[in-house]
Amino acid sequence: IIENMDPDHNIRRVSPVALSADGYTDLLNGGMDHGWCMSYTCLKRLMTFWAIAKTETVSTIHFSSTTPQELRILLPYAPVTQKLILHIFYPGNMRLQVFVGKRFVEDVNRLDGKSKKQLVLDGRVSANNNEGGFTEQTLSMVDQCSIGNVASALWKCQTPSNVHGSNSFNRDTGMLELVVGGHSIEDFVHIKSMPVVAVSMGVQTSVADFYKIKDTFLSSLAATLGIDVTRIAIIDVVPGNARRRHLLSGSSVVDFEVEPSPLIDVTSDDTIVVLEDVGTVSIEVTRSVNINGECGVRYTVSKKSADDAVAGVNFVAETGIILFKQTEER
């Protein structure tokens, strides 16, 4: 089941959806119109697609319109032993966050929101190849640890390659690669897009020397942009092109992304109507868009200027901080 979860899922058509595997393509159409008139302006079609998929194979999904920013994938009737790998095309610059139910599953080539390749070059993560570098981890339906499409020792993979929800985003092709296996109804795969600003910048230093000044570069860049340094992620550092290398000896090109700030939302299901009554209001604070890293929210309990409530009598006046741990949403 392929389910569009965007707010406009009833009015924006993304079909037909192409599901391709083994040289065949199945074109999936949306549901029938259930609008209230015969005009195009009030057409309503549920963008949920029930597809017949072959397990133990690689399938590719393409949408006729822009890929939904929130997408839900379910394989509800398959045994837990059966799996398939999905490739889903995403245009533009964005970071994809994959959840299995409510549990966040990070890209197999990232750690705490950072590229493992860059962490190896920084000396913060052990190398996984014989050259002392990093070879990208790939997905598999069989091997628990797959490095460069080759079964490898388990210690080389910090996250498994073959479990339901394992994922990797290929920036060159714009494809999200995703393992989907038989699961309980609560363990559907939920994909959420996080928009980022992708920047390439030329610097007058060699690739090797860049990592000696990387922390200074990031802090200076963050100060210039007026943002927290944790919102900047280095994607790659490569030598400059031939012309640039000729003009500037030892030049490099730094590719980095600027992530958005977390979106904080407060919801309350209860209200107190009469001030004299004693009651409890349950409030849920959630964060979305960016769940990487830790996040703190300061709150204050006070009265509105027009209220007759008295602090210490009708309510407890206090100020505090709510801390979100890494990948914690609520």
Short mmCIF file of all heavy atoms in Angstrom, two decimals, residues 7-62:
data_model
loop_
_atom_site.label_atom_id
_atom_site.label_comp_id
_atom_site.label_asym_id
_atom_site.label_seq_id
_atom_site.Cartn_x
_atom_site.Cartn_y
_atom_site.Cartn_z
N PRO A 7 -1.10 17.11 3.45
CA PRO A 7 -2.41 17.73 3.75
C PRO A 7 -3.32 17.84 2.53
O PRO A 7 -4.54 17.84 2.67
CB PRO A 7 -2.02 19.11 4.29
CG PRO A 7 -0.63 18.94 4.81
CD PRO A 7 0.02 17.95 3.90
N ASP A 8 -2.72 17.93 1.33
CA ASP A 8 -3.54 18.08 0.11
C ASP A 8 -3.74 16.74 -0.61
O ASP A 8 -3.95 16.71 -1.82
CB ASP A 8 -2.89 19.09 -0.85
CG ASP A 8 -1.49 18.66 -1.30
OD1 ASP A 8 -0.98 17.64 -0.79
OD2 ASP A 8 -0.91 19.36 -2.16
N HIS A 9 -3.71 15.65 0.15
CA HIS A 9 -3.76 14.33 -0.49
C HIS A 9 -5.09 14.06 -1.19
O HIS A 9 -5.17 13.16 -2.03
CB HIS A 9 -3.50 13.23 0.54
CG HIS A 9 -4.55 13.11 1.59
ND1 HIS A 9 -4.57 13.90 2.71
CD2 HIS A 9 -5.64 12.30 1.69
CE1 HIS A 9 -5.61 13.58 3.46
NE2 HIS A 9 -6.28 12.62 2.87
N ASN A 10 -6.13 14.81 -0.87
CA ASN A 10 -7.42 14.62 -1.54
C ASN A 10 -7.58 15.44 -2.80
O ASN A 10 -8.40 15.12 -3.66
CB ASN A 10 -8.57 14.97 -0.58
CG ASN A 10 -8.94 13.81 0.33
OD1 ASN A 10 -8.71 12.66 -0.03
ND2 ASN A 10 -9.49 14.11 1.48
N ILE A 11 -6.82 16.53 -2.92
CA ILE A 11 -7.05 17.46 -4.02
C ILE A 11 -5.88 17.56 -5.00
O ILE A 11 -6.04 18.07 -6.10
CB ILE A 11 -7.38 18.88 -3.49
CG1 ILE A 11 -6.24 19.39 -2.62
CG2 ILE A 11 -8.69 18.87 -2.72
CD1 ILE A 11 -6.44 20.81 -2.13
N ARG A 12 -4.70 17.06 -4.61
CA ARG A 12 -3.56 17.07 -5.54
C ARG A 12 -3.33 15.66 -6.05
O ARG A 12 -3.07 14.74 -5.29
CB ARG A 12 -2.30 17.60 -4.85
CG ARG A 12 -1.11 17.73 -5.81
CD ARG A 12 0.07 18.38 -5.13
NE ARG A 12 0.73 17.49 -4.18
CZ ARG A 12 1.74 16.69 -4.50
NH1 ARG A 12 2.19 16.64 -5.75
NH2 ARG A 12 2.29 15.93 -3.58
N ARG A 13 -3.41 15.55 -7.34
CA ARG A 13 -3.28 14.22 -7.94
C ARG A 13 -1.81 13.89 -8.22
O ARG A 13 -1.10 14.69 -8.84
CB ARG A 13 -4.08 14.16 -9.25
CG ARG A 13 -4.14 12.77 -9.85
CD ARG A 13 -5.15 12.70 -10.97
NE ARG A 13 -5.25 11.36 -11.54
CZ ARG A 13 -6.12 10.99 -12.45
NH1 ARG A 13 -6.99 11.88 -12.91
NH2 ARG A 13 -6.15 9.76 -12.92
N VAL A 14 -1.35 12.75 -7.76
CA VAL A 14 0.02 12.31 -8.00
C VAL A 14 0.05 11.06 -8.88
O VAL A 14 1.12 10.50 -9.13
CB VAL A 14 0.75 12.03 -6.67
CG1 VAL A 14 0.85 13.29 -5.83
CG2 VAL A 14 0.07 10.91 -5.88
N SER A 15 -1.11 10.62 -9.32
CA SER A 15 -1.21 9.42 -10.15
C SER A 15 -1.24 9.80 -11.64
O SER A 15 -1.51 10.95 -11.99
CB SER A 15 -2.47 8.63 -9.77
OG SER A 15 -3.62 9.42 -9.98
N PRO A 16 -0.97 8.82 -12.52
CA PRO A 16 -0.67 7.42 -12.19
C PRO A 16 0.71 7.27 -11.57
O PRO A 16 1.62 8.03 -11.86
CB PRO A 16 -0.76 6.72 -13.54
CG PRO A 16 -0.49 7.78 -14.55
CD PRO A 16 -1.05 9.04 -13.98
N VAL A 17 0.81 6.28 -10.70
CA VAL A 17 2.06 5.95 -10.03
C VAL A 17 2.63 4.70 -10.70
O VAL A 17 1.93 3.70 -10.86
CB VAL A 17 1.84 5.70 -8.53
CG1 VAL A 17 3.14 5.27 -7.85
CG2 VAL A 17 1.28 6.95 -7.86
N ALA A 18 3.91 4.78 -11.09
CA ALA A 18 4.54 3.66 -11.79
C ALA A 18 5.32 2.81 -10.80
O ALA A 18 6.21 3.31 -10.10
CB ALA A 18 5.47 4.18 -12.88
N LEU A 19 4.97 1.53 -10.72
CA LEU A 19 5.69 0.56 -9.90
C LEU A 19 6.35 -0.43 -10.85
O LEU A 19 5.67 -1.20 -11.53
CB LEU A 19 4.73 -0.15 -8.95
CG LEU A 19 5.33 -1.25 -8.07
CD1 LEU A 19 6.34 -0.66 -7.09
CD2 LEU A 19 4.24 -2.00 -7.31
N SER A 20 7.69 -0.38 -10.91
CA SER A 20 8.43 -1.16 -11.91
C SER A 20 9.31 -2.21 -11.23
O SER A 20 9.96 -1.92 -10.22
CB SER A 20 9.30 -0.25 -12.77
OG SER A 20 8.52 0.76 -13.39
N ALA A 21 9.33 -3.41 -11.83
CA ALA A 21 10.18 -4.49 -11.34
C ALA A 21 10.32 -5.55 -12.42
O ALA A 21 9.35 -5.84 -13.14
CB ALA A 21 9.61 -5.11 -10.06
N ASP A 22 11.52 -6.10 -12.56
CA ASP A 22 11.79 -7.21 -13.49
C ASP A 22 11.37 -6.90 -14.92
O ASP A 22 10.87 -7.77 -15.65
CB ASP A 22 11.08 -8.49 -13.02
CG ASP A 22 11.63 -9.01 -11.70
OD1 ASP A 22 12.78 -8.64 -11.36
OD2 ASP A 22 10.92 -9.76 -11.01
N GLY A 23 11.51 -5.65 -15.33
CA GLY A 23 11.19 -5.28 -16.71
C GLY A 23 9.73 -4.97 -16.96
O GLY A 23 9.34 -4.67 -18.09
N TYR A 24 8.89 -5.02 -15.94
CA TYR A 24 7.46 -4.73 -16.08
C TYR A 24 7.10 -3.50 -15.24
O TYR A 24 7.70 -3.25 -14.19
CB TYR A 24 6.61 -5.91 -15.64
CG TYR A 24 6.79 -7.15 -16.48
CD1 TYR A 24 7.76 -8.11 -16.15
CD2 TYR A 24 6.02 -7.37 -17.62
CE1 TYR A 24 7.94 -9.25 -16.92
CE2 TYR A 24 6.19 -8.51 -18.40
CZ TYR A 24 7.15 -9.44 -18.04
OH TYR A 24 7.33 -10.56 -18.82
N THR A 25 6.09 -2.75 -15.70
CA THR A 25 5.64 -1.56 -14.99
C THR A 25 4.13 -1.63 -14.79
O THR A 25 3.38 -1.86 -15.74
CB THR A 25 6.00 -0.27 -15.75
OG1 THR A 25 7.42 -0.17 -15.85
CG2 THR A 25 5.45 0.96 -15.03
N ASP A 26 3.71 -1.43 -13.56
CA ASP A 26 2.29 -1.39 -13.22
C ASP A 26 1.92 0.07 -12.97
O ASP A 26 2.49 0.72 -12.09
CB ASP A 26 2.04 -2.23 -11.97
CG ASP A 26 0.55 -2.32 -11.61
OD1 ASP A 26 -0.28 -1.90 -12.44
OD2 ASP A 26 0.26 -2.80 -10.50
N LEU A 27 0.98 0.61 -13.75
CA LEU A 27 0.52 1.97 -13.57
C LEU A 27 -0.68 1.98 -12.64
O LEU A 27 -1.74 1.42 -12.96
CB LEU A 27 0.16 2.61 -14.92
CG LEU A 27 1.33 2.90 -15.86
CD1 LEU A 27 0.83 3.51 -17.16
CD2 LEU A 27 2.35 3.83 -15.20
N LEU A 28 -0.53 2.61 -11.48
CA LEU A 28 -1.56 2.60 -10.45
C LEU A 28 -2.34 3.90 -10.51
O LEU A 28 -1.75 4.99 -10.48
CB LEU A 28 -0.92 2.44 -9.07
CG LEU A 28 0.05 1.26 -8.91
CD1 LEU A 28 0.78 1.36 -7.59
CD2 LEU A 28 -0.69 -0.06 -9.03
N ASN A 29 -3.66 3.80 -10.57
CA ASN A 29 -4.52 4.99 -10.60
C ASN A 29 -5.11 5.25 -9.22
O ASN A 29 -5.22 4.35 -8.39
CB ASN A 29 -5.65 4.81 -11.61
CG ASN A 29 -5.61 5.90 -12.66
OD1 ASN A 29 -5.17 7.01 -12.39
ND2 ASN A 29 -6.07 5.58 -13.86
N GLY A 30 -5.52 6.50 -9.00
CA GLY A 30 -6.12 6.87 -7.73
C GLY A 30 -7.57 6.42 -7.63
O GLY A 30 -8.14 5.86 -8.58
N GLY A 31 -8.18 6.68 -6.50
CA GLY A 31 -9.57 6.33 -6.30
C GLY A 31 -10.50 7.21 -7.12
O GLY A 31 -10.09 8.23 -7.69
N MET A 32 -11.76 6.85 -7.14
CA MET A 32 -12.74 7.63 -7.89
C MET A 32 -12.99 8.97 -7.20
O MET A 32 -12.74 9.15 -6.01
CB MET A 32 -14.04 6.85 -8.03
CG MET A 32 -14.77 6.61 -6.72
SD MET A 32 -16.35 5.78 -6.94
CE MET A 32 -17.29 7.06 -7.74
N ASP A 33 -13.50 9.92 -7.97
CA ASP A 33 -13.83 11.25 -7.44
C ASP A 33 -14.98 11.14 -6.45
O ASP A 33 -15.99 10.50 -6.72
CB ASP A 33 -14.19 12.17 -8.60
CG ASP A 33 -14.83 13.48 -8.13
OD1 ASP A 33 -14.34 14.01 -7.13
OD2 ASP A 33 -15.80 13.91 -8.76
N HIS A 34 -14.81 11.77 -5.28
CA HIS A 34 -15.92 11.85 -4.33
C HIS A 34 -16.14 13.30 -3.91
O HIS A 34 -16.40 13.61 -2.76
CB HIS A 34 -15.69 10.95 -3.11
CG HIS A 34 -14.40 11.20 -2.38
ND1 HIS A 34 -13.20 10.66 -2.77
CD2 HIS A 34 -14.12 11.95 -1.28
CE1 HIS A 34 -12.24 11.04 -1.95
NE2 HIS A 34 -12.77 11.83 -1.03
N GLY A 35 -16.00 14.20 -4.90
CA GLY A 35 -16.28 15.62 -4.66
C GLY A 35 -17.77 15.89 -4.64
O GLY A 35 -18.60 14.99 -4.78
N TRP A 36 -18.13 17.15 -4.49
CA TRP A 36 -19.54 17.49 -4.34
C TRP A 36 -20.13 18.14 -5.59
O TRP A 36 -21.28 18.57 -5.60
CB TRP A 36 -19.72 18.44 -3.14
CG TRP A 36 -18.81 19.64 -3.20
CD1 TRP A 36 -17.57 19.74 -2.67
CD2 TRP A 36 -19.08 20.89 -3.82
NE1 TRP A 36 -17.02 20.96 -2.92
CE2 TRP A 36 -17.95 21.71 -3.62
CE3 TRP A 36 -20.16 21.43 -4.53
CZ2 TRP A 36 -17.85 23.01 -4.11
CZ3 TRP A 36 -20.06 22.73 -5.01
CH2 TRP A 36 -18.93 23.50 -4.79
N CYS A 37 -19.33 18.25 -6.65
CA CYS A 37 -19.86 18.82 -7.90
C CYS A 37 -19.16 18.17 -9.06
O CYS A 37 -18.26 17.35 -8.89
CB CYS A 37 -19.70 20.35 -7.93
SG CYS A 37 -17.99 20.88 -8.18
N MET A 38 -19.55 18.52 -10.26
CA MET A 38 -18.97 17.93 -11.46
C MET A 38 -17.81 18.76 -12.01
O MET A 38 -17.24 18.44 -13.04
CB MET A 38 -20.06 17.79 -12.54
CG MET A 38 -21.22 16.91 -12.13
SD MET A 38 -20.69 15.23 -11.70
CE MET A 38 -20.13 14.67 -13.30
N SER A 39 -17.44 19.84 -11.33
CA SER A 39 -16.39 20.71 -11.81
C SER A 39 -15.02 20.20 -11.37
O SER A 39 -14.88 19.54 -10.34
CB SER A 39 -16.59 22.14 -11.28
OG SER A 39 -15.47 22.94 -11.55
N TYR A 40 -13.99 20.54 -12.12
CA TYR A 40 -12.64 20.14 -11.78
C TYR A 40 -12.18 20.75 -10.45
O TYR A 40 -11.38 20.18 -9.73
CB TYR A 40 -11.68 20.56 -12.90
CG TYR A 40 -10.23 20.28 -12.60
CD1 TYR A 40 -9.71 19.00 -12.77
CD2 TYR A 40 -9.39 21.26 -12.11
CE1 TYR A 40 -8.39 18.71 -12.48
CE2 TYR A 40 -8.06 20.99 -11.81
CZ TYR A 40 -7.57 19.72 -12.00
OH TYR A 40 -6.27 19.45 -11.71
N THR A 41 -12.72 21.93 -10.11
CA THR A 41 -12.26 22.65 -8.92
C THR A 41 -12.63 21.94 -7.62
O THR A 41 -12.09 22.27 -6.57
CB THR A 41 -12.85 24.07 -8.89
OG1 THR A 41 -14.28 23.98 -8.93
CG2 THR A 41 -12.35 24.88 -10.07
N CYS A 42 -13.55 21.01 -7.66
CA CYS A 42 -13.94 20.33 -6.42
C CYS A 42 -13.73 18.82 -6.50
O CYS A 42 -14.33 18.06 -5.75
CB CYS A 42 -15.38 20.65 -6.05
SG CYS A 42 -16.58 20.06 -7.26
N LEU A 43 -12.87 18.38 -7.42
CA LEU A 43 -12.55 16.95 -7.48
C LEU A 43 -11.81 16.53 -6.22
O LEU A 43 -10.91 17.23 -5.74
CB LEU A 43 -11.69 16.65 -8.70
CG LEU A 43 -12.35 16.75 -10.08
CD1 LEU A 43 -11.34 16.43 -11.17
CD2 LEU A 43 -13.53 15.79 -10.17
N LYS A 44 -12.17 15.40 -5.69
CA LYS A 44 -11.47 14.84 -4.53
C LYS A 44 -11.21 13.37 -4.79
O LYS A 44 -12.13 12.59 -5.00
CB LYS A 44 -12.31 15.01 -3.26
CG LYS A 44 -12.40 16.44 -2.76
CD LYS A 44 -13.09 16.51 -1.41
CE LYS A 44 -13.11 17.93 -0.87
NZ LYS A 44 -13.73 18.00 0.47
N ARG A 45 -9.92 13.04 -4.79
CA ARG A 45 -9.52 11.66 -5.01
C ARG A 45 -8.54 11.26 -3.92
O ARG A 45 -7.55 11.95 -3.68
CB ARG A 45 -8.85 11.49 -6.38
CG ARG A 45 -9.73 11.80 -7.57
CD ARG A 45 -8.95 11.68 -8.88
NE ARG A 45 -9.73 12.08 -10.02
CZ ARG A 45 -10.49 11.26 -10.75
NH1 ARG A 45 -10.57 10.00 -10.41
NH2 ARG A 45 -11.16 11.70 -11.78
N LEU A 46 -8.81 10.16 -3.26
CA LEU A 46 -7.92 9.66 -2.22
C LEU A 46 -6.67 9.09 -2.88
O LEU A 46 -6.74 8.15 -3.67
CB LEU A 46 -8.63 8.59 -1.40
CG LEU A 46 -7.88 8.09 -0.15
CD1 LEU A 46 -7.71 9.23 0.84
CD2 LEU A 46 -8.64 6.94 0.48
N MET A 47 -5.51 9.66 -2.57
CA MET A 47 -4.26 9.23 -3.19
C MET A 47 -3.62 8.10 -2.39
O MET A 47 -2.54 8.23 -1.80
CB MET A 47 -3.30 10.42 -3.31
CG MET A 47 -3.73 11.47 -4.33
SD MET A 47 -3.66 10.88 -6.05
CE MET A 47 -5.38 10.52 -6.38
N THR A 48 -4.33 6.98 -2.35
CA THR A 48 -3.84 5.75 -1.75
C THR A 48 -3.89 4.66 -2.81
O THR A 48 -4.90 4.52 -3.49
CB THR A 48 -4.69 5.33 -0.53
OG1 THR A 48 -4.61 6.36 0.47
CG2 THR A 48 -4.19 4.02 0.07
N PHE A 49 -2.79 3.91 -2.94
CA PHE A 49 -2.67 2.97 -4.05
C PHE A 49 -2.38 1.57 -3.51
O PHE A 49 -1.43 1.37 -2.74
CB PHE A 49 -1.55 3.41 -4.99
CG PHE A 49 -1.67 4.85 -5.44
CD1 PHE A 49 -1.04 5.86 -4.72
CD2 PHE A 49 -2.44 5.19 -6.53
CE1 PHE A 49 -1.17 7.19 -5.11
CE2 PHE A 49 -2.58 6.51 -6.93
CZ PHE A 49 -1.94 7.51 -6.20
N TRP A 50 -3.21 0.63 -3.92
CA TRP A 50 -3.05 -0.77 -3.55
C TRP A 50 -2.38 -1.48 -4.72
O TRP A 50 -2.95 -1.61 -5.79
CB TRP A 50 -4.41 -1.41 -3.24
CG TRP A 50 -5.07 -0.83 -2.02
CD1 TRP A 50 -5.62 0.41 -1.89
CD2 TRP A 50 -5.21 -1.46 -0.76
NE1 TRP A 50 -6.12 0.60 -0.63
CE2 TRP A 50 -5.88 -0.55 0.10
CE3 TRP A 50 -4.86 -2.71 -0.25
CZ2 TRP A 50 -6.19 -0.85 1.42
CZ3 TRP A 50 -5.17 -3.02 1.07
CH2 TRP A 50 -5.83 -2.09 1.88
N ALA A 51 -1.16 -1.92 -4.48
CA ALA A 51 -0.37 -2.53 -5.55
C ALA A 51 -0.07 -3.99 -5.24
O ALA A 51 0.01 -4.38 -4.07
CB ALA A 51 0.93 -1.75 -5.74
N ILE A 52 0.11 -4.77 -6.29
CA ILE A 52 0.58 -6.14 -6.15
C ILE A 52 2.08 -6.12 -6.39
O ILE A 52 2.55 -5.79 -7.47
CB ILE A 52 -0.11 -7.07 -7.16
CG1 ILE A 52 -1.62 -7.08 -6.91
CG2 ILE A 52 0.46 -8.48 -7.05
CD1 ILE A 52 -2.39 -7.89 -7.92
N ALA A 53 2.85 -6.44 -5.34
CA ALA A 53 4.31 -6.35 -5.42
C ALA A 53 4.92 -7.74 -5.26
O ALA A 53 4.41 -8.58 -4.50
CB ALA A 53 4.84 -5.42 -4.34
N LYS A 54 5.99 -7.96 -5.98
CA LYS A 54 6.72 -9.22 -5.89
C LYS A 54 7.81 -9.09 -4.84
O LYS A 54 8.63 -8.17 -4.89
CB LYS A 54 7.34 -9.56 -7.25
CG LYS A 54 8.13 -10.87 -7.26
CD LYS A 54 8.75 -11.11 -8.62
CE LYS A 54 9.58 -12.40 -8.62
NZ LYS A 54 10.24 -12.62 -9.94
N THR A 55 7.80 -9.99 -3.86
CA THR A 55 8.83 -9.94 -2.83
C THR A 55 10.14 -10.55 -3.36
O THR A 55 10.17 -11.16 -4.43
CB THR A 55 8.39 -10.70 -1.57
OG1 THR A 55 8.07 -12.05 -1.94
CG2 THR A 55 7.17 -10.03 -0.96
N GLU A 56 11.20 -10.36 -2.59
CA GLU A 56 12.55 -10.83 -2.95
C GLU A 56 13.02 -10.23 -4.27
O GLU A 56 13.71 -10.89 -5.05
CB GLU A 56 12.59 -12.36 -3.02
CG GLU A 56 11.95 -13.06 -1.84
CD GLU A 56 12.53 -12.62 -0.50
OE1 GLU A 56 13.73 -12.35 -0.42
OE2 GLU A 56 11.74 -12.52 0.47
N THR A 57 12.64 -8.99 -4.52
CA THR A 57 13.08 -8.30 -5.73
C THR A 57 13.23 -6.82 -5.43
O THR A 57 12.90 -6.35 -4.33
CB THR A 57 12.07 -8.51 -6.87
OG1 THR A 57 12.64 -8.02 -8.09
CG2 THR A 57 10.78 -7.76 -6.62
N VAL A 58 13.74 -6.06 -6.40
CA VAL A 58 13.91 -4.61 -6.27
C VAL A 58 12.86 -3.94 -7.15
O VAL A 58 12.79 -4.22 -8.35
CB VAL A 58 15.32 -4.17 -6.68
CG1 VAL A 58 15.45 -2.65 -6.60
CG2 VAL A 58 16.37 -4.83 -5.79
N SER A 59 12.05 -3.07 -6.56
CA SER A 59 11.00 -2.35 -7.29
C SER A 59 11.27 -0.85 -7.21
O SER A 59 11.82 -0.36 -6.22
CB SER A 59 9.62 -2.66 -6.71
OG SER A 59 9.32 -4.05 -6.80
N THR A 60 10.85 -0.13 -8.25
CA THR A 60 11.06 1.31 -8.32
C THR A 60 9.72 2.01 -8.42
O THR A 60 8.83 1.58 -9.17
CB THR A 60 11.92 1.68 -9.54
OG1 THR A 60 13.17 1.00 -9.47
CG2 THR A 60 12.21 3.18 -9.57
N ILE A 61 9.56 3.10 -7.66
CA ILE A 61 8.32 3.88 -7.65
C ILE A 61 8.59 5.27 -8.20
O ILE A 61 9.51 5.96 -7.75
CB ILE A 61 7.73 3.98 -6.23
CG1 ILE A 61 7.31 2.60 -5.72
CG2 ILE A 61 6.54 4.93 -6.20
CD1 ILE A 61 6.80 2.61 -4.28
N HIS A 62 7.78 5.69 -9.18
CA HIS A 62 7.82 7.05 -9.71
C HIS A 62 6.40 7.61 -9.66
O HIS A 62 5.44 6.92 -10.00
CB HIS A 62 8.33 7.08 -11.16
CG HIS A 62 9.81 6.90 -11.29
ND1 HIS A 62 10.70 7.94 -11.20
CD2 HIS A 62 10.54 5.79 -11.50
CE1 HIS A 62 11.92 7.49 -11.37
NE2 HIS A 62 11.86 6.18 -11.55
#
